[in-house]
Amino acid sequence: MTAATLPATGPVRALPSPLRLGLARTAHELRVFSRERDAVFFIFLYPILMLAIFATVFGKQDPFSGTGVDVTFPQYFLPGMIATGVMLSSFQSLAIFIAVERDEGVLKRLRGTPLPASSYFLGKVGQVLVTSLVQTGLLLVVAALMFHVPMPTDAGRWWTFAWVLVLGTAAGSVCGVAFSSVPRSGKSASAVVTPIVLVLQFISGVFFQFDQLPHWMQDVASLFPLKWMAQGMRSVFLPDAAVRFVEPSGSWQHGATAAILAAYLVVGLVLGARTFRWLRRDAG
Amino acid sequence: MNRTPRAVDVTGLHKRYGDKLAVDGLDLHVDEGEIVAVLGPNGAGKTTTVEVLEGYRHRDSGRVTVLGEDPQAAGRAWRARVGMVLQDVAVGSESTVEELVAHYALFYPAPRDPDEVIAAVGLQEKRKSRARHLSGGQRRRLDVALGVVGRPELLFLDEPTTGFDPEARHAFWELIAGLRADGTTILLTTHYLDEAEHLADRVVVVTGGHVVAEGSPASLGGAAAHRSRVRWLEDGEPREVSTDTPTRIVGDLAARFAALGHAEVPGLQVLRPSLEDVYLELVGTAGRSSTADLEEALR
């Protein structure tokens, strides 16, 4: 056996830095994610496929005809699909995968190594960031090339795009970590998380025009971040003249969007930090 | 850091789950470089004890020192010196063997060479296989690889060979012999008595959450437990004597039967207790567990 030929005590070296390990974890998480067929399809490709389907089916219609505002359906759907992608890549992905890793004991095993908790979470954040950036980029390319959605040309709109994307991803990630403690097992994780995400998509103006939903539904959706992310993204891709017809409030509400997403970020962070467990709930 | 020559030092450990007392005043020590096997039926408190030593569980009372530190307060530097092979713990199943071993090696300041570790556990053929395609025994060997790749000073093995075929177990024993030669201290729990006898310098028998016997595999249970039994037939009846001096008994018997005109003593047997006999006696007298547990323990 080869182990016998290896010296038991190596030279005394420092522990690897948490940042370096965080990057190594990011690479590892991305590799694993890319091999999970379910994840690639239902988290990464799903919004792109949905955009393609909805834009193809409704592409010829003019949702705001008679208002003097020129907005095509693909143009209206793109912001909602970007918001959906952010929520899937951050919230859904982490809520399911951390629940599975906890249930299978992957977390327990990692806890027994000198890997710092910060590196584990850096790896998750890195994986979420890369996934949602690539996903969003693909959505933009598909929308621009296949469905001729006009891309914003001024820096102000791209700035809005950037902060909504970053704040939304961060809020979705911490909420995903917190929510990963809710499913009772890894097997049930997908069944618990997916319907919540799906309902939010229906009531938050992703599949339907938000202004045409019943008022009570709009009010319920306003309690959750997806509606605000979608609205923030509409302010990037729709002309300002459309706001009177597109948003029930008649305003893009950037202040409220930032405040709600930040509130979810803080609450998710506190809840996540307090409820995160390396071991299964039934593990004593 | 308070360094003691004892790698593991436990006195008066108690751990309760709800109203069930899993560990009840357990004392245990492992010296540096020693290999200690903890034997006991299911539910004896072996895994709970090991998980307290690994820092996974908080004890209710007792004093616990592992490599000079209290495991429930120890940090990264301590975990870099300790290897753990746990029960019921998966790895990311979409990663390959070599990816996982190389990835885990990154966590440690002075890891072993991942390729050599994969070879040492006999998974060279499977290095490109994803973890979910491995058999139960192969997955267990991957567990062991991940447990030793950090070059631990102290290695915990919780039932490491469960699900191994005999060949894989012998290969595993060789691996442990290699680690022993490197000076690695090892605490293992096992259901297999031959494994304890083969690997361990010292065996500790645990039932009902505390130690009922300890010693080298040969001396376990004290002299009384190792008395030989001499059996023979006389007047058509089986006779049996328990003795420390079987040779003298046999000599006396031979002389007596020779005097009666018999060249042979009918049905003569000299039985030396195996570790299994000693273990069964210890576990049996120290608060009997259910038969099912024992059968499970002796699989």
Side-chain angles (χ1 to χ4, degrees):
Chain A
M1 289 278 152
T2 325
T5 65
L6 299 165
T9 47
V12 179
R13 269 181 255 161
L15 287 160
S17 83
L19 184 63
R20 212 187 98 196
L21 288 178
L23 292 175
R25 286 298 299 172
T26 301
H28 177 81
E29 298 274 12
L30 282 170
R31 191 168 56 208
V32 171
F33 182 87
S34 69
R35 290 177 187 171
E36 296 272 1
R37 262 178 243 143
D38 289 3
V40 169
F41 190 81
F42 290 107
I43 289 172
F44 184 74
L45 293 178
Y46 172 86
I48 300 166
L49 286 172
M50 283 310 200
L51 176 71
I53 292 169
F54 274 74
T56 306
V57 172
F58 299 107
K60 296 285 179 282
Q61 298 177 24
D62 180 2
F64 302 102
S65 60
T67 61
V69 174
D70 184 23
V71 174
T72 64
F73 251 117
Q75 189 177 2
Y76 186 86
F77 282 132
L78 174 66
M81 293 303 170
I82 293 175
T84 294
V86 167
M87 182 159 88
L88 294 178
S89 292
S90 58
F91 176 78
Q92 176 163 335
S93 165
L94 291 188
I96 293 177
F97 283 112
I98 295 178
V100 170
E101 285 184 331
R102 181 180 296 116
D103 197 44
E104 289 184 345
V106 175
L107 292 186
K108 183 178 183 181
R109 183 199 296 273
L110 287 175
R111 191 60 183 152
T113 72
L115 180 78
S118 57
S119 303
Y120 173 77
F121 287 110
L122 268 178
K124 289 288 180 204
V125 168
Q127 181 260 315
V128 167
L129 265 183
V130 172
T131 315
S132 69
L133 282 179
V134 174
Q135 182 179 49
T136 306
L138 277 174
L139 275 169
L140 294 183
V141 168
V142 169
L145 297 186
M146 289 175 64
F147 302 105
H148 313 292
V149 175
M151 292 292 129
T153 48
D154 58 304
R157 282 175 180 256
W158 285 115
W159 162 242
T160 305
F161 175 81
W163 71 252
V164 173
L165 190 70
V166 168
L167 205 50
T169 305
S173 299
V174 294
C175 290
V177 173
F179 201 83
S180 72
S181 300
V182 173
R184 296 205 74 83
S185 76
K187 280 200 184 78
S188 67
S190 205
V192 173
V193 176
T194 313
I196 296 173
V197 172
L198 205 59
V199 167
L200 285 182
Q201 288 167 28
F202 277 106
I203 68 172
S204 299
V206 172
F207 297 139
F208 305 121
Q209 260 175 264
F210 190 70
D211 57 293
Q212 293 182 357
L213 297 174
H215 286 294
W216 66 266
M217 210 180 262
Q218 294 176 351
D219 292 341
V220 172
S222 300
L223 299 173
F224 298 97
L226 184 60
K227 180 258 178 189
W228 298 96
M229 272 195 283
Q231 186 174 320
M233 286 298 172
R234 281 197 293 274
S235 79
V236 174
F237 293 95
L238 270 50
D240 283 337
V243 72
R244 286 193 298 132
F245 308 104
V246 172
E247 305 301 342
S249 67
S251 150
W252 296 125
Q253 295 178 293
H254 279 169
T257 302
I260 300 246
L261 292 180
Y264 267 92
L265 176 60
V266 171
V267 171
L269 205 57
V270 172
L271 275 182
R274 301 190 99 197
T275 58
F276 185 80
R277 303 179 52 125
W278 296 92
L279 270 57
R280 269 191 296 270
R281 209 184 323 211
D282 61 5
Chain B
M1 200 188 307
N2 169 30
R3 292 218 57 181
T4 63
R6 289 203 159 157
V8 174
D9 206 350
V10 179
T11 40
L13 177 65
H14 285 83
K15 175 71 187 176
R16 177 185 289 279
Y17 300 128
D19 54 2
K20 184 182 180 292
L21 200 54
V23 182
D24 182 14
L26 184 132
D27 301 321
L28 177 70
H29 68 90
V30 183
D31 291 334
E32 278 187 8
E34 197 181 19
I35 299 187
V36 172
V38 177
L39 273 174
N42 281 348
K46 301 188 300 288
T47 293
T48 300
T49 300
V50 170
E51 292 198 342
V52 167
L53 301 183
E54 290 168 334
Y56 282 114
R57 294 178 190 281
H58 285 210
R59 60 188 179 271
D60 296 332
S61 63
R63 208 174 54 79
V64 174
T65 314
V66 176
L67 295 180
E69 293 190 49
D70 180 347
Q72 67 193 43
R76 285 183 73 194
W78 178 83
R79 281 201 285 272
R81 300 166 62 204
V82 179
M84 303 174 192
V85 176
L86 308 151
Q87 289 192 61
D88 303 325
V89 164
V91 285
S93 57
E94 295 300 333
S95 298
T96 67
V97 168
E98 64 181 359
E99 285 168 354
L100 283 166
V101 178
H103 181 62
Y104 274 69
L106 295 176
F107 304 165
Y108 295 87
R112 292 194 159 95
D113 179 74
D115 292 335
E116 290 177 31
V117 171
I118 291 169
V121 298
L123 284 177
Q124 307 97 307
E125 315 274 291
K126 293 284 169 188
R127 52 186 312 133
K128 304 276 185 200
S129 298
R130 297 205 183 164
R132 75 186 153 90
H133 292 142
L134 299 178
S135 71
Q138 290 166 341
R139 217 168 290 168
R140 206 74 189 113
R141 282 188 266 165
L142 175 58
D143 286 341
V144 174
L146 298 179
V148 303
V149 73
R151 204 187 299 273
E153 294 165 43
L154 169 64
L155 181 61
F156 291 108
L157 298 164
D158 199 1
E159 296 183 12
T161 58
T162 303
F164 279 26
D165 57 33
E167 198 185 16
R169 277 174 78 206
H170 281 93
F172 174 79
W173 293 354
E174 270 186 65
L175 170 69
I176 298 301
L179 292 169
R180 176 209 291 271
D182 286 350
T184 311
T185 305
I186 297 173
L187 178 67
L188 79 141
T189 71
T190 183
H191 277 331
Y192 300 113
L193 295 138
D194 56 339
E195 184 159 285
E197 194 159 23
H198 191 93
L199 293 179
D201 300 314
R202 203 148 49 78
V203 175
V204 176
V205 180
V206 175
T207 57
H210 60 271
V211 175
V212 292
E214 67 171 293
S216 68
S219 74
L220 191 69
H226 288 266
R227 288 162 76 102
S228 298
R229 282 169 298 153
V230 179
R231 287 182 186 165
W232 71 97
L233 289 170
E234 193 166 343
D235 307 327
E237 295 280 312
R239 303 291 176 89
E240 180 175 311
V241 175
S242 182
T243 175
D244 293 324
T245 55
T247 310
R248 202 174 70 206
I249 298 285
V250 171
D252 291 350
L253 278 172
R256 193 143 58 83
F257 277 85
L260 296 168
H262 299 292
E264 285 293 322
V265 181
L268 181 66
Q269 278 182 301
V270 179
L271 302 163
R272 292 192 177 273
S274 65
L275 179 61
E276 188 164 317
D277 296 327
V278 175
Y279 168 79
L280 280 179
E281 192 147 311
L282 287 167
V283 172
T285 52
R288 196 165 280 286
S289 350
S290 76
T291 323
D293 274 355
L294 276 177
E295 277 167 7
E296 171 76 358
L298 296 170
R299 256 185 306 147

